[in-house]
Amino acid sequence: MSLVVAAIVGLSVPADEATGLKSAVCRILHPLSGAEACSSGDYAGDGSDGGNGDGDGGNGGGGGPGDPFVPNGDPFEPARCLLSQDQTKDTVVIQVVFIKISTSETVKLQQWSDGTVTLERVTETGGGVTASISAGIPGLKDWGGSAKLSGTFLAGSGSGGQWLFNKNKSGDPQADLAANLADAQKFAAYLKQNDGCRYQSGYNPGAAMGACQQDAASKKPDLEPELAPDVDITKTSTEASGSVSFGGKFTGGKGGKFSGELASGTMTEDVVVMRSHSGPNAGKITFIYTFTVKGSAGALGVATGEKMQQVSVTYDAAAYDEEEKNGDPHHPEKLLITTSQEAGEGTGVKVEGGANAGPLPVTIDVGGGGGNTKSQIHTESAELILDNDADSITVEDWLRGNGDPASNPLPSPSDAAEVPDSDASPLERLLHDKGKLSRLDYKANTDWWNASLGIGFGLSAGQVSLGFKLFGIEITHESKGQTITGDPTYATGPKNGGARPWVEWKNCTQTKPIPT
């Protein structure tokens, strides 16, 4: 199982995907001019595409440009870190012949070391195509043994909001975290019930509807979130996935079949745009570009792996919009590079069974499964506050692929702590000289279940059988909690010889996560 996971996940990101970051970000940041602006002039990329992910860690930043706060007297120490995250994702996929349509909702509850709590909710819809092929296994012919390969490509978009809970300010971050978390949990319960009011029997907007919403409102905390929501979120994504399963037939080789998934892999590209209207980041627009590769293997025991690379770029929203309108170069104010790797194992199974529905080759398939996975996540971040034109231009040139490119298309935060080589790019030197570098480890626990129903049609030709679903519906629920562990560290400023030693991250260890 570990070999299969290594084959899916352990490989480094392909060069054409990684170096495509420049042209992909160019297209992201120029929605008005489109791809043409990225293929000509100073914004020319390398002609390849980039990728996605969802950062499991992060240092939370140290405020916006000009922030006078210098924690513990060291300007290189990030102000806060992510202590804990609880994430729930529900997905419904409907398939009609080769077409898939999906909708999902993701809710994140995050605890931060400065005592604040954030609640985020994003809904996504998408569509794409799917196909599969199966072949008999000669050695198991009498048993009807077979293997099946399947693949799916989906593209989608989404939107959502983020709420910040920070009104409990006693001067003790631990006490504030407990109080803000309680408020966030109450507000999450309110949102859930208020949504349920819309789907009550008959969808009657009359007195019953009003009573339901009033009862939901009574669950709000005394201190409502400061931002409701402060951040507007829009998201686009593409996903390519594949799986291999093994199965056989029963009832004398006629009338039915079963199969179990042995391995699966997914590559996802996400682009998230966040506009802040109030709070500490009011008037800012941030583009978050993420590439994720993940895989799992095992019929009864499950081994999983995931690798994520993410780039976040922040601009002044008004200036960005004006520059975009006039076709002028942009001036980023903040760059955040985050990478993470996750590996785990656990128990779980995903199986499918079916039977013929009549004399025609039509089958009814019912599937399902569930399991639990425990994993370890290692996250690294490098943050740059771009408070002068020279640094801003250096980052913008890197994003656009201008000038001297970085030797690594996405410089590693750990590498930035080492003495730069003689051929280091301007960005790599800037990360070493001024970047806030941090490293975090988390332990994670994931529970999931899946259920599906399908009506299929198939044809056989020798050892190969071609089949497709006429209609199918699949529901998946995943609940993932992660908590900081180990010794959080950050890199101090350059010392004698140029290296940046890693030391205890006190702003991260001063507060302990609260179990939920």
Side-chain angles (χ1 to χ4, degrees):
M1 290 187 291
S2 60
L3 288 175
V4 175
V5 173
I8 297 173
V9 183
L11 300 177
S12 53
V13 177
D16 59 340
E17 294 283 358
T19 56
L21 177 64
K22 297 183 290 250
S23 60
V25 171
C26 174
R27 290 193 295 274
I28 296 163
L29 303 187
H30 285 78
L32 298 182
S33 53
E36 293 181 358
C38 302
S39 58
S40 62
D42 292 338
Y43 294 107
D46 62 359
S48 54
D49 292 325
N52 148 86
D54 182 4
D56 286 312
N59 56 30
D67 187 348
F69 177 62
V70 180
N72 297 324
D74 187 350
F76 288 94
E77 181 176 3
R80 67 173 189 171
C81 70
L82 178 65
L83 296 176
S84 175
Q85 175 175 286
D86 292 298
Q87 174 178 301
T88 301
K89 183 174 183 179
D90 293 288
T91 304
V92 177
V93 178
I94 295 176
Q95 179 178 338
V96 180
V97 192
F98 298 108
I99 305 300
K100 275 192 173 183
I101 302 171
S102 70
T103 178
S104 67
E105 179 183 72
T106 303
V107 178
K108 291 182 182 179
L109 183 64
Q110 297 177 315
Q111 301 179 36
W112 299 88
S113 61
D114 61 354
T116 62
V117 176
T118 54
L119 175 66
E120 180 182 302
R121 183 169 66 169
V122 176
T123 58
E124 290 184 79
T125 57
V129 295
T130 184
S132 65
I133 185 171
S134 60
I137 300 176
L140 296 177
K141 184 175 181 181
D142 293 339
W143 293 76
S146 64
K148 182 175 76 172
L149 294 172
S150 62
T152 299
F153 179 83
L154 294 172
S157 61
S159 62
Q162 186 182 81
W163 292 263
L164 171 65
F165 297 82
N166 67 343
K167 291 186 176 180
N168 294 281
K169 298 179 179 179
S170 65
D172 179 359
Q174 190 69 54
D176 292 344
L177 180 64
N180 288 325
L181 178 61
D183 287 346
Q185 290 172 324
K186 291 178 181 178
F187 193 78
Y190 152 70
L191 289 176
K192 184 175 182 179
Q193 181 170 334
N194 193 57
D195 286 346
C197 292
R198 302 174 186 176
Y199 301 103
Q200 59 183 336
S201 179
Y203 188 65
N204 180 8
M209 182 73 169
C212 179
Q213 291 181 328
Q214 288 178 6
D215 182 61
S218 68
K219 294 179 169 56
K220 289 184 179 180
D222 294 334
L223 296 177
E224 293 193 34
E226 181 177 293
L227 320 171
D230 169 67
V231 181
D232 289 338
I233 301 173
T234 58
K235 180 178 181 180
T236 59
S237 64
T238 60
E239 176 181 306
S241 62
S243 65
V244 57
S245 58
F246 168 80
K249 299 178 180 179
F250 54 87
T251 316
K254 299 180 180 180
K257 61 184 178 63
F258 69 92
S259 64
E261 185 175 281
L262 293 181
S264 66
T266 303
M267 289 193 302
T268 312
E269 302 179 7
D270 287 344
V271 179
V272 175
V273 182
M274 305 178 73
R275 281 186 180 265
S276 300
H277 302 292
S278 60
N281 293 315
K284 306 297 181 185
I285 182 171
T286 300
F287 296 83
I288 305 173
Y289 185 83
T290 319
F291 178 74
T292 305
V293 183
K294 59 183 178 181
S296 63
L300 298 177
V302 177
T304 64
E306 179 173 323
K307 186 173 185 177
M308 185 275 293
Q309 295 180 320
Q310 184 180 85
V311 174
S312 171
V313 192
T314 299
Y315 301 83
D316 177 85
Y320 175 88
D321 291 340
E322 186 67 19
E323 292 161 355
E324 188 68 26
K325 178 181 178 182
N326 298 329
D328 296 331
H330 296 299
H331 296 81
E333 296 183 343
K334 178 180 174 181
L335 172 71
L336 178 63
I337 296 175
T338 305
T339 64
S340 75
Q341 296 189 59
E342 179 176 359
E345 57 184 11
T347 58
V349 62
K350 187 175 180 181
V351 296
E352 182 181 83
N356 293 336
L360 296 176
V362 176
T363 61
I364 303 295
D365 295 321
V366 178
N372 172 269
T373 302
K374 299 184 184 300
S375 57
Q376 298 290 327
I377 304 171
H378 176 73
T379 299
E380 299 183 359
S381 295
E383 178 193 55
L384 277 172
I385 301 299
L386 309 171
D387 54 5
N388 63 77
D389 287 342
D391 292 348
S392 182
I393 291 172
T394 295
V395 170
E396 183 72 2
D397 283 345
W398 173 69
L399 291 171
R400 308 300 177 187
N402 298 332
D404 184 11
S407 57
N408 183 342
L410 191 65
S412 163
S414 280
D415 291 344
E418 304 296 329
V419 179
D421 296 330
S422 58
D423 60 347
S425 70
L427 176 68
E428 290 169 320
R429 293 185 180 278
L430 185 59
L431 286 171
H432 172 268
D433 294 342
K434 298 184 178 181
K436 293 183 178 181
L437 312 177
S438 57
R439 300 191 299 200
L440 295 167
D441 290 298
Y442 297 90
K443 59 180 180 180
N445 186 74
T446 304
D447 291 306
W448 63 274
W449 58 261
N450 170 277
S452 64
L453 173 66
I455 301 174
F457 183 88
L459 297 173
S460 296
Q463 292 292 332
V464 177
S465 62
L466 301 176
F468 56 87
K469 286 185 179 179
L470 300 173
F471 173 82
I473 183 170
E474 183 175 10
I475 301 172
T476 303
H477 173 88
E478 181 180 276
S479 178
K480 181 177 183 178
Q482 66 181 65
T483 305
I484 196 168
T485 185
D487 299 313
T489 57
Y490 78 97
T492 66
K495 303 299 183 183
N496 293 335
R500 298 182 55 180
W502 294 92
V503 299
E504 179 188 357
W505 187 358
K506 295 181 180 179
N507 280 327
C508 189
T509 57
Q510 66 181 354
T511 312
K512 303 300 180 185
I514 299 173
T516 59

